Amino acid sequence: MENLINVDYSEAFNVTTITLNRPEKRNALSSQMIQQLHQAIDQLHNNPHTKLVIIKGAGEAFCAGGDLSEFHGDLTQPEALAMLEPMKSVLWKLTTLSVPTVAWMNGLARGGGMELASACDFRFVQSGSNYGFTQGQLGISTGWGGGTLLYERIHNQDAYYWLVKADVREADQLIAIRFAQGVFSYNDYIWESGLITPFLNRDIEQLIHWKQQWLQQFDLQMLKTRMDDEVESCSYLWVSEAHHQAVAQFFNRK
Ligand SMILES: CC[C@H](C(=O)O)C(=O)SCCNC(=O)CCNC(=O)[C@H](O)C(C)(C)COP(=O)(O)OP(=O)(O)OC[C@H]1O[C@@H](n2cnc3c(N)ncnc32)[C@H](O)[C@@H]1OP(=O)(O)O
C-alpha cells in the first residue's frame, strides 16, 4: 500500500514525526490516508520513548482538508455521517494522546486541515502561508470535531466568528488570535527551531505531566459528545444544494 502517511522516530530527540505524504494534492486527506493516520497514532503506544509527536505536511502545504473528490459526492446523510466518523476518531486520539502534540503547519491549510491542527496541543505556522476554516464557504460546517476543539484553543467568540466567516488568514493573524503559538520561516530546520527546542529540553515525565494537567481541565465525556454532535450536524448539511454546488465549482474552477 502507498505510504501516504510517513512516520519517523528520532532516537536523538525521542520525537515521532508524522508526515502527510500526498503533496500533489496538497496533502488532502483521503480515506486511505485517514486509515494510515489511525495506524500511525495507534503505533505510538508501542514506543514508550516518544515524548513529542509532530504532524507536518510533505511539499508546500500542510493539509488541504478532506478529499473533495472522494468525500464530497452525492452521499446520503447516514453515508456522510459514516464517512466523517473515522477522522473524528483520529482527532480524538490526538487530543487525548498522553504526550504533547505539535502541528508544524509548513504551508497552507484549509477546512479539515485546520481541524487536524486544532487537535494538536500546539500550532506553529509558516510566514507567508495562509490558513482557514473554510467549510462554511462549502455550505457545510466543520465535520471532524475540529470546530469543537477550536473553541478550546482560542477565545470562544473568536472561534464562533471564524467558523461563520470561514475566511483564510495569514500566519500573523493566527498568532494574534492565539490559534498559533509561533511562526517559522520557509527554510527553518525544524530541529533547530527555537519553537521545538523547549520540548526537546524536557524529560518525557515532565511532558506527560503537563499534558495530563491540560486534559484535566476538561470533562472529556462532554468534549467527546460535543464532537459527536458537530459531526452529526455536518452530516445533515452535507446533503445541501449549497454544498454540492460549492464542490462542483471547485472542480470546475480551472
Ligand atoms: C470535515 C473536513 C471537511 C470535509 O471533508 O468535509 C473539509 O476539509 S472540506 C475541504 C476543505 N478544503 C478545501 O476546500 C480546499 C480546496 N482546495 C483549494 O482551495 C486549493 O486547492 C488550495 C488552496 C488548497 C491549493 O491551491 P493551489 O493553487 O496551491 O493548488 P491547486 O488548487 O492547483 O491544487 C493542487 C491539486 O490538489 C488538489 N486538491 C487541493 N485541495 C484538495 C482537496 N481538498 N481535495 C481533493 N483535491 C484537492 C487539486 O484538485 C489539484 O489537483 P489536480 O489533480 O492537480 O487538479
Side-chain angles (χ1 to χ4, degrees):
M1 183 161 53
E2 196 183 350
N3 267 357
L4 295 166
I5 298 291
N6 290 335
V7 181
D8 300 294
Y9 173 66
S10 160
E11 291 272 358
F13 298 120
N14 300 119
V15 176
T16 295
T17 302
I18 295 175
T19 303
L20 310 178
N21 185 32
R22 196 186 179 205
E24 74 285 356
K25 297 290 186 181
R26 303 295 183 269
N27 300 319
L29 291 169
S30 63
S31 53
Q32 194 181 3
M33 284 179 87
I34 293 170
Q35 187 183 6
Q36 291 184 22
L37 257 180
H38 262 290
Q39 292 161 357
I41 294 167
D42 290 345
Q43 286 300 315
L44 292 171
H45 300 294
N46 297 336
N47 180 346
H49 304 295
T50 290
K51 69 178 183 180
L52 177 71
V53 176
I54 297 173
I55 296 183
K56 60 193 284 284
E60 303 293 306
F62 175 65
C63 177
D67 187 321
L68 287 163
S69 59
E70 181 181 357
F71 294 149
H72 290 253
D74 287 331
L75 301 177
T76 64
Q77 180 274 326
E79 288 168 337
L81 181 60
M83 176 277 299
L84 290 167
E85 285 287 341
M87 192 60 190
K88 179 200 72 179
S89 175
V90 168
L91 296 199
W92 179 254
K93 287 180 179 177
L94 275 176
T95 301
T96 56
L97 201 66
S98 61
V99 294
T101 51
V102 162
W104 187 259
M105 302 176 78
N106 57 306
L108 62 84
R110 297 288 186 275
M114 295 297 283
E115 296 191 57
L116 174 59
S118 294
C120 293
D121 299 318
F122 305 95
R123 286 152 296 280
F124 300 127
V125 289
Q126 182 173 280
S127 56
S129 290
N130 53 53
Y131 306 90
F133 285 90
T134 49
Q135 291 89 332
Q137 294 181 29
L138 293 173
I140 52 175
S141 60
T142 49
W144 288 337
T148 296
L149 296 169
L150 178 63
Y151 278 95
E152 304 305 332
R153 304 293 183 186
I154 65 177
H155 190 284
N156 52 14
Q157 188 67 52
D158 292 326
Y160 185 6
Y161 187 57
W162 198 354
L163 293 173
V164 172
K165 194 172 183 189
D167 61 327
V168 174
R169 302 182 183 185
E170 302 298 323
D172 59 349
Q173 292 174 282
L174 271 62
I175 292 286
I177 205 169
R178 302 196 54 69
F179 180 78
Q181 286 69 49
V183 184
F184 58 88
S185 300
Y186 175 75
N187 49 14
D188 276 0
Y189 183 48
I190 195 166
W191 298 124
E192 293 167 5
S193 160
L195 299 170
I196 298 296
T197 305
F199 299 92
L200 306 185
N201 292 340
R202 302 292 172 258
D203 293 335
I204 187 168
E205 292 78 12
Q206 290 175 289
L207 292 169
I208 287 174
H209 161 67
W210 286 317
K211 179 61 179 274
Q212 189 179 29
Q213 202 172 38
W214 162 260
L215 289 174
Q216 281 171 344
Q217 296 180 97
F218 301 110
D219 171 343
L220 291 178
Q221 187 49 54
M222 176 55 73
L223 186 67
K224 191 165 187 315
T225 300
R226 287 164 55 198
M227 290 174 73
D228 292 342
D229 291 350
E230 172 185 329
V231 172
E232 186 175 13
S233 295
C234 182
S235 70
Y236 282 97
L237 293 170
W238 208 270
V239 297
S240 71
E241 187 50 35
H243 179 217
H244 293 144
Q245 284 179 8
V247 174
Q249 191 176 348
F250 172 74
F251 285 111
N252 298 326
R253 72 195 183 288
K254 286 184 178 175

